[in-house]
Amino acid sequence: MGKYIIGNIVHAVQVNKLEILTNHLIYVNGNIIERCSPFSEAEFKPQSHEEVIYLTQTQFLFPGFVDTHIHAPQYPNTGIFGESTLLDWLQKYTFPTEGRFKDISNAKDVYSKLIKRQLNNGTTTSSYYGTIHVPATIELAKLCLEQNMRGRIGRVCMEKFCPEFLNDGSIESDIQFIEEMERLDPSGAMVKPIITPRFAPSCEFSTLKGLGELAEKKKLSIQTHVSENLNEIKWVKELFKTKSYCDVYDEAGLLKKDTILAHAIHLTDDELNLIKERDCGISHCPDSNAALASGIAPVKKYLRRKVKVGLGTDVSAGCTVSVLKNARLALLMSRLLTQRESESLEIDKLNKDKSSSLTVDEALSMATLGGAQVMSMDKEIGNFEIGKKLDAQIVDIASDNSEIDIFDMSLPSNEIDRVRYYLNKWVYIGDDRNTVCVFVDGKKVVSKI
Ligand code: GUN
Ligand code: FE
């Protein structure tokens, strides 16, 4: 069925640029955006079976968020990390929880609640890590299909530095998982498997290589962690006797166009060059990086080098499923990085060319188009280009219980400036209460109005 959405529309047209379209019309045929043009009341003649949604003055249509890195089984642990940092956090909090997903009823309970919470926060596509367990991870895919979350679903491959109950590095398990996924969604339009070695220390080199070959053979994307924590990096170099962390993955054939590298905080210049050369994407996870005191990734530098960057919530090292909050943290942490660098390097604080500070446009673009690029899905989703699928949210700055107060006395009179003012309020103060409607694949899947 055809659907019109009429009002103010905002989307990223480049990784550093949001386009604000006031008083526009989007026409969606089924799940595909067929038109996006200025709205003219006089010429508007919808047919009786077509749905028409008029946005109010305080609303705008925005693309659905893309969460490029989230661990579904860790959802029960959000907020629970104590004083730990990465390596002890994994042993103390994470592995015991992931072990419980041997029981499929835990998967049904946790995963259905997680997906509901993500959709409620405007996330319409996710790149998930499950656990080593094939049945529980297949359950995650089934629930994504049922609840309308687009995604990549990874069975986690790990066989070292883990308790016995979380040890399954067999490629046969991955093949079984992939075959079951192919039966579930043969087209892969909604859910598709993704090859997921947990991180270099979890796997023998031969296993990493085997996974690289499997990804190549099955034409699948890859996701893993890289360069998150200084002790981890030192350990990887000792374990594999390589010059750098990225070299391990490169030698195993894992660095490719659709590889998602989570964190990438402490990269050397050579590693950044390698990532750029191989055209891999980076999942920036600022909430997680602050919680586990991992560091501040120099994202502005990555964007300047034209490396693809999206945002990841990294639940439960990150405490929230909200990509919006991660956009906010990306902004705030980038400003701290500028401050730190300006002190140590004595860079002129006003020299914009050298600043590490992100802009609101960059943060919201990473949350949508950047994420789609990182997941190699930017031909399908990420913004409202004609021909893409409608994954979107209606944002209302004045929704019920909104945390945002708007004062007429400070509202810009020009329409474009007013929408931009709303965008700033939303990214710094907003939350799930401002996301009042969510569409995935053209279907309305959340409605609070
Ligand atoms: N490195 C290896 N496993 C994990 C994980 O589950 N979360 C994070 N943040 N880093 C990891
Ligand atoms: Fe992670």
Side-chain angles (χ1 to χ4, degrees):
M1 193 186 73
K3 198 190 332 279
Y4 292 94
I5 306 174
I6 297 162
N8 291 334
I9 292 164
V10 183
H11 67 161
V13 284
Q14 289 169 24
V15 290
N16 57 2
K17 193 171 175 357
L18 295 178
E19 181 177 52
I20 298 175
L21 303 166
T22 58
N23 196 29
H24 265 61
L25 163 155
I26 273 194
Y27 179 70
V28 186
N29 188 358
N31 61 349
I32 302 292
I33 301 166
E34 286 195 345
R35 227 177 105 189
C36 179
S37 53
F39 174 61
S40 152
E41 181 98 61
E43 290 164 26
F44 185 54
K45 305 248 177 324
Q47 295 180 0
S48 59
H49 63 276
E50 290 173 324
E51 190 184 356
V52 184
I53 301 171
Y54 287 98
L55 304 182
T56 68
Q57 278 273 303
T58 58
Q59 295 176 340
F60 57 89
L61 189 73
F62 195 77
F65 288 133
V66 179
D67 187 343
T68 57
H69 184 80
I70 178 163
H71 298 260
Q74 296 175 16
Y75 185 42
N77 281 0
T78 43
I80 309 299
F81 57 92
E83 309 291 307
S84 64
T85 57
L86 178 65
L87 299 178
D88 56 322
W89 170 80
L90 283 170
Q91 297 286 359
K92 187 171 174 193
Y93 296 94
T94 306
F95 293 161
T97 299
E98 289 194 13
R100 297 198 181 100
F101 286 75
K102 188 174 185 330
D103 181 347
I104 193 96
S105 67
N106 288 331
K108 284 186 203 290
D109 179 39
V110 172
Y111 295 165
S112 57
K113 286 179 182 146
L114 170 67
I115 296 165
K116 185 165 182 234
R117 181 71 66 190
Q118 289 182 279
L119 289 169
N120 193 56
N121 274 275
T123 299
T124 52
T125 297
S126 305
S127 196
Y128 291 107
Y129 286 56
T131 54
I132 60 161
H133 313 100
V134 173
T137 310
I138 287 291
E139 187 60 33
L140 174 59
K142 282 187 183 160
L143 291 166
C144 283
L145 282 175
E146 251 174 67
Q147 294 175 246
N148 297 294
M149 173 68 75
R150 204 185 289 284
R152 299 286 181 255
I153 320 274
R155 183 202 87 95
V156 175
C157 185
M158 56 197 283
E159 60 191 348
K160 274 167 52 191
F161 171 64
C162 58
E164 207 34 54
F165 61 80
L166 268 190
N167 182 333
D168 184 0
S170 76
I171 302 276
E172 287 68 37
S173 295
D174 287 292
I175 293 172
Q176 187 201 339
F177 174 71
I178 293 164
E179 287 174 353
E180 287 195 37
M181 286 291 295
E182 284 168 351
R183 281 194 287 276
L184 211 55
D185 184 357
S187 72
M190 282 303 288
V191 291
K192 223 176 173 176
I194 180 166
I195 300 293
T196 307
R198 180 168 212 124
F199 68 154
S202 295
C203 297
E204 300 292 350
F205 185 73
S206 56
T207 303
L208 293 175
K209 241 178 131 183
L211 291 172
E213 284 159 11
L214 184 61
E216 185 66 30
K217 183 165 160 230
K218 291 283 194 176
K219 303 262 168 297
L220 294 175
S221 317
I222 296 164
Q223 61 181 353
T224 192
H225 298 85
V226 79
S227 193
E228 177 175 3
N229 166 292
L230 293 174
N231 288 330
E232 172 211 21
I233 296 166
K234 201 164 139 237
W235 186 35
V236 168
K237 287 198 280 194
E238 281 163 15
L239 278 175
F240 292 90
K241 315 249 174 314
T242 49
K243 205 162 100 267
S244 76
Y245 200 149
C246 281
D247 279 348
V248 179
Y249 293 143
D250 196 41
E251 284 169 22
L254 290 168
L255 295 189
K256 298 203 280 207
K257 183 183 169 299
D258 36 19
T259 300
I260 307 172
L261 296 168
H263 306 292
I265 303 172
H266 310 283
L267 298 176
T268 62
D269 282 344
D270 282 350
E271 286 181 296
L272 186 57
N273 289 338
L274 183 61
I275 288 173
K276 171 75 190 150
E277 211 170 291
R278 299 280 183 265
D279 200 19
C280 306
I282 290 176
S283 172
H284 175 45
C285 308
D287 188 20
S288 159
N289 298 343
L292 294 186
S294 303
I296 308 178
V299 177
K300 188 81 172 194
K301 177 162 114 185
Y302 301 166
L303 292 177
R304 282 203 182 101
R305 291 292 308 277
K306 305 227 177 316
V307 171
K308 299 174 289 187
V309 188
L311 293 177
T313 61
D314 195 23
V315 160
S316 70
C319 305
T320 176
V321 304
S322 165
V323 174
L324 182 70
K325 283 185 194 153
N326 274 278
R328 177 181 312 158
L329 279 163
L331 283 161
L332 297 176
M333 284 166 68
S334 74
R335 296 175 67 80
L336 288 176
L337 194 58
T338 301
Q339 191 277 337
R340 193 165 84 188
E341 288 171 351
S342 68
E343 272 186 359
S344 62
L345 300 174
E346 292 176 11
I347 294 171
D348 175 357
K349 282 186 192 157
L350 297 174
N351 184 344
K352 282 223 169 94
D353 294 342
K354 294 209 178 91
S355 168
S356 286
S357 301
L358 295 166
T359 63
V360 167
D361 282 38
E362 285 166 336
L364 287 175
S365 180
M366 285 194 292
T368 53
L369 182 63
Q373 289 173 344
V374 165
M375 289 182 67
S376 295
M377 293 174 76
D378 51 313
K379 286 205 168 66
E380 290 166 72
I381 56 157
N383 62 14
F384 299 133
E385 267 174 32
I386 311 283
K388 288 196 185 183
K389 294 170 177 167
L390 183 81
D391 284 6
Q393 52 188 317
I394 298 176
V395 177
D396 190 345
I397 237 58
S399 61
D400 281 351
N401 291 323
S402 172
E403 187 68 12
I404 305 167
D405 282 319
I406 300 286
F407 299 95
D408 284 347
M409 66 172 208
S410 44
L411 260 189
S413 54
N414 169 294
E415 186 78 351
I416 288 189
D417 292 345
R418 190 171 56 78
V419 177
R420 185 156 282 287
Y421 180 91
Y422 287 165
L423 283 166
N424 281 268
K425 289 277 186 191
W426 182 47
V427 78
Y428 283 114
I429 314 169
D431 57 32
D432 57 322
R433 289 169 290 191
N434 300 106
T435 291
V436 295
C437 251
V438 180
F439 302 89
V440 177
D441 214 35
K443 278 197 285 270
K444 194 187 283 179
V445 299
V446 175
S447 181
K448 308 175 194 171
I449 43 175

